[in-house]
Structures are given as C-alpha cells and as structure tokens.
Amino acid sequence: MNRLRTQVAIVGAGPAGLLLSHLLHRQGVDSIVLERRSREYVERRVRAGLLEHSTVELLRACGLAGRLDREGLRHDGFELRVNGHRHRVDTTALTGHRTYVYGQQELVKDMIRARLEAGGQVRFGIEDVSLDLAGDGPSTVRCTLDGRPAEIACDFVAGCDGFHGVSRRTIPPGLLTSYERRYPSAWLGILAAAPPTSRELVYAVHERGFALASMRTPEISRLYLQVEPGESLDAWPDDRIWKELRARLAVDGEAALTEGPVLERSLVELRSYVAEPMQHGPLFLAGDAAHIVPPTAAKGLNLAVEDVKVLSEAFHAWYATGDRAPLDGYSEARLPAIWEAEDFSDWMAHLLHRLPGDDTYGSRLQRARLDAVVNSPTAARQLAERYVGTSRQNSGGRARSRVTAAPG
Ligand code: APR
Ligand code: PHB
C-alpha cells in the first residue's frame, strides 16, 4: 500500500483543479491533483475560449498570463447579426473592460507546465478515485498510483472533476439540491484552419438557427452551429457544416466566411445546472462539478476561476489563522454570482436561439429582446456589463440584500 499525505487533495486537472493547486502552492499549502485522463487528452480538449477581464487580471496576478498576454486576442466588442443585418455592441466603451480570446486548452497547458515546473504533483491517468470523507480528522482519497493501491490522507478534498466526476456524487443525496434545465438544442463546434473573416466575434441570429463565428488565432477559426439535440456528428459532413454556416452568417445575402480544413468537431448539449450547497464537511466543489451553464456566454471557465479564487483564499485563512468561517461560508459566498451567470446564460440562450417548440409568442419575445439591445442604450449597457462580467463582480463578497419569500 502506497501511503501519502497532503493538505488538499484535488480531484480533476481542468482549469479549476490546476488553478487551485497553483494558488495553494503560492500560499504555501500542499496539494496533489488526481486526473482521470492523460496529459495529452486534457491539453487537447477543445472548450470555449472567452476570458473576462477579471479572469485575466487574476491569471496575471498569479503569474499565469505570460503566453496569454503575448498570444491572446483582445476584444472590445462583438457583432450581433440578425438575419444578415449587422449591429455592433461596443463592450469596452459601455463597460470600460475588455474580453480576451484564448483557447481553454492553451490555458490548461500553461497551468500544467507551471505546476510541474514548480515541482507540483499532478497525476494523470488515475481512473479509480474514491473519497472517504471524515467528519473530524483527516479524510482519505483512495486510488491506484504507479500500479499500486494508494491511500492519500488529507485535511480537505476539492472536487474539481467536472459535471460527471465522482466528488459531487459522494455527497449524500438528501443533503444536496440540484437545479437543472435542459434546452431542446445543442451546439456543433468546429475548429478550422481558416482565418476569421471578422476581427470580432459574430453572434448570428437566423431563421435557420443560431451560428457563432469565433476564433483562436489569426489563422484558426472556431465556429458553432445550433443543431437539434441528440444529433450525430456523422450527420454533419464538412460540406453540410459550411453550407449551413454560410447561410446563417451571410450579410445581405452574401457569404461572409473564410473556409478551410476542419481540424476538430464536437457536440455539446445546452444545459444549466447548479448544486446547492457546493460543499459537504471537508469536501468543496468548484467549477463544472458544481454548476454548468449553456455555452452561449462562455461563462463556465470564468466561473470556475472565481470559485477557486474564493476557495483558495478560504483555505489560506484556515491554514494561516485557524479561521474556518470563510470555508464554512464558501458556498453561500459563491452562489449569488453563479446564479447571476446562470440567469445571463439562459437569457442569452433565449436571445440567440429559436428553440424547437417555441410558439409564435416565443419568437416575438425574441424579436422584442433583440430590438431592445439594438435600440436601447440602457439594454445594450446591461448586456455588455453581463457579457464582460462586471455585473457579477457586484454579486459576491459584500453584504447583499436578500429577496425575501423567494420561492424554493
Ligand atoms: N477522477 C479524476 N478526474 C476526473 C474524474 C474522476 N472521477 N472525473 C472527471 N475528472 C476530470 C476530467 O477528466 C477533467 O479533466 O476532471 C476534470 C474537470 O475539468 P473540466 O471539465 O474542464 O471542469 P473545470 O475544471 O471545472 O473547468 C470549468 O469551464 O468552459 C467551461 O466546461 C468548461 O471545462 C470547462 C469549465
Ligand atoms: C468560443 O470561442 O469558444 C466562444 C466564444 C464566445 C461564446 C462562446 C464560445 O459566447
């Protein structure tokens, strides 16, 4: 039996687990990260790539933004294209803050390199993690390490293992409430070796369905199409994808798209999910393990970063002064900002998509919302603040007034 000891055992080496390990290291707190997949797999996994200003600030402050500052693309706005008519939302003018496009897997590569260079323990290919949470005293994480059964004694466990991970399932069902919404829609995403035709992101609302033209570098486009849920990638050969993108992104009937070889393709179902509370005894959930948003506003990564910032500060308070109040208050501190992002992502989903089953009333509501964003400076400013994340920064931390008699 392999017996190890650490202060915080971290399950999952996505952005949440890796960043938490990095921040803890800077505070002198020891951790071990256990990841089910291989390093190559997590470094190649393509996910959304839009970073809020505050996410970038945090990465800069902790020394993880070197390559991001060199290679990331700075954005001051985006285009809303409605049936071929273009409308620009100048998010920087409206909020004073920029957003950044930088692929999530690039950030994951930077984080893994930083952890390993600092001598951090990130163990890949660990497929059999199980948690034995203690009421008092050390908890135990069991798994196979280097071909031998291992027991890792730890003070705390950070569940950063995504929506399908093992950590959340360790919480007794009666102690956890799940809030969930599934949308009758999915996104088909491709990476293509084609320069983006627009310098800014284009969100295209079209009667054939939604499309998004994003990018990763000046040579690589990232493009999404709204498709039916349960669709198979086999039903979408490259020709069909490009034909649909051309139609939905056309400007005044003219194609507005550069095409190129498809490098990667994936499907993601649109879903919202929140687990409350985000903690149980010595276990703390962060990132997708605790909440999912539909990808419409690319908030998932930004929320995960905020979670682990708050969590690392709470661990610091415990180890530096013995104060457990910030750890005890972790879930309560995070949930208002998470629900603000859930609300905005849901609102964006309804703004941008005509959902199967929507009646004519639903489509007129969509039109009214689009009209407001295009014509009302107040509506545009609110959209911009929520898009760049400044509205959420006001949702956590300080004392908040509560809406009494809120249902549920
Ligand atoms: N044991 C160990 N690792 C696990 C287990 C398990 N049982 N189950 C899942 N994992 C790993 C996954 O392989 C993955 O690498 O946990 C990691 C979770 O990482 P992400 O899914 O990337 O989640 P998170 O770190 O919370 O990042 C937030 O933002 O853009 C969104 O969904 C997107 O990944 C994104 C997220
Ligand atoms: C992306 O580039 O992957 C992306 C950008 C913006 C979004 C969603 C995804 O709203």
Side-chain angles (χ1 to χ4, degrees), residues 47-50 101 187 201 203 212 214-216 222 224 295-298 348 387:
R47 298 270 181 79
L50 187 68
V101 169
W187 278 17
L201 271 61
Y203 292 84
L212 168 59
S214 180
M215 71 261 330
R216 287 294 173 268
R222 175 76 172 149
Y224 296 96
T296 35
M348 279 280 273
Y387 186 82

Side-chain angles (χ1 to χ4, degrees), residues 11-17 34-37 42 45 47 104 126 129 160-162 165-166 286-288 300-301 304:
V11 190
L34 302 167
E35 165 59 47
R36 185 162 57 129
R37 306 282 195 171
V42 298
R45 193 168 39 198
R47 298 270 181 79
Q104 184 170 309
I126 312 297
V129 169
C160 302
D161 46 353
V166 68
D288 277 16
L301 170 65

Side-chain angles (χ1 to χ4, degrees), residues 10-19 33-38 41-42 45 47-49 104 108 123-130 159-167 169 268 286-293 295 298-305 307-308:
I10 300 175
V11 190
L18 291 164
L19 181 61
V33 182
L34 302 167
E35 165 59 47
R36 185 162 57 129
R37 306 282 195 171
S38 68
Y41 184 94
V42 298
R45 193 168 39 198
R47 298 270 181 79
Q104 184 170 309
V108 164
R123 306 298 301 262
F124 294 96
I126 312 297
E127 294 179 347
D128 58 348
V129 169
S130 68
C160 302
D161 46 353
F163 185 69
H164 299 288
V166 68
S167 303
R169 281 184 275 124
V268 56
D288 277 16
H291 41 75
I292 299 275
V293 282
K299 294 295 180 203
L301 170 65
N302 298 286
L303 287 179
V305 165
D307 284 352
V308 298

Side-chain angles (χ1 to χ4, degrees), residues 49-248:
L50 187 68
L51 308 185
E52 293 175 354
H53 165 79
S54 63
T55 298
V56 173
E57 292 280 275
L58 174 86
L59 295 169
R60 281 186 186 135
C62 71
L64 285 175
R67 196 159 69 93
L68 160 61
D69 273 327
R70 287 193 305 278
E71 298 176 17
L73 306 170
R74 290 169 176 72
H75 283 242
D76 292 314
F78 61 82
E79 184 184 322
L80 203 51
R81 196 171 285 176
V82 184
N83 285 327
H85 299 288
R86 313 171 71 173
H87 175 75
R88 179 164 187 264
V89 180
D90 190 331
T91 47
T92 303
L94 289 162
T95 68
H97 291 298
R98 285 192 157 133
T99 49
Y100 297 74
V101 169
Y102 187 64
Q104 184 170 309
Q105 77 271 34
E106 300 307 318
L107 200 53
V108 164
K109 282 182 204 160
D110 298 343
M111 289 175 174
I112 291 175
R113 193 175 318 117
R115 283 313 295 122
L116 297 181
E117 279 174 11
Q121 291 215 58
V122 185
R123 306 298 301 262
F124 294 96
I126 312 297
E127 294 179 347
D128 58 348
V129 169
S130 68
L131 309 181
D132 189 353
L133 303 174
D136 265 324
S139 297
T140 308
V141 176
R142 295 195 173 80
C143 61
T144 306
L145 278 182
D146 305 320
R148 287 165 56 206
E151 281 190 2
I152 306 172
C154 55
D155 303 330
F156 300 103
V157 178
C160 302
D161 46 353
F163 185 69
H164 299 288
V166 68
S167 303
R168 193 181 62 252
R169 281 184 275 124
T170 310
I171 301 179
L175 298 182
L176 191 87
T177 307
S178 297
Y179 299 90
E180 185 162 20
R181 175 165 293 175
R182 283 163 177 271
Y183 302 81
S185 202
W187 278 17
L188 189 164
I190 61 164
L191 268 188
T197 24
S198 164
R199 222 198 61 75
E200 297 191 332
L201 271 61
V202 179
Y203 292 84
V205 178
H206 197 274
E207 54 210 16
R208 299 179 69 90
F210 170 70
L212 168 59
S214 180
M215 71 261 330
R216 287 294 173 268
T217 69
E219 296 82 35
I220 305 278
S221 293
R222 175 76 172 149
L223 298 145
Y224 296 96
L225 277 176
Q226 174 190 359
V227 299
E228 301 271 317
E231 283 263 10
S232 150
L233 281 176
D234 296 339
W236 285 90
D238 293 358
D239 286 357
R240 183 175 177 207
I241 295 175
W242 288 116
K243 180 165 175 265
E244 205 55 41
L245 284 167
R246 275 197 301 274
R248 297 186 195 182

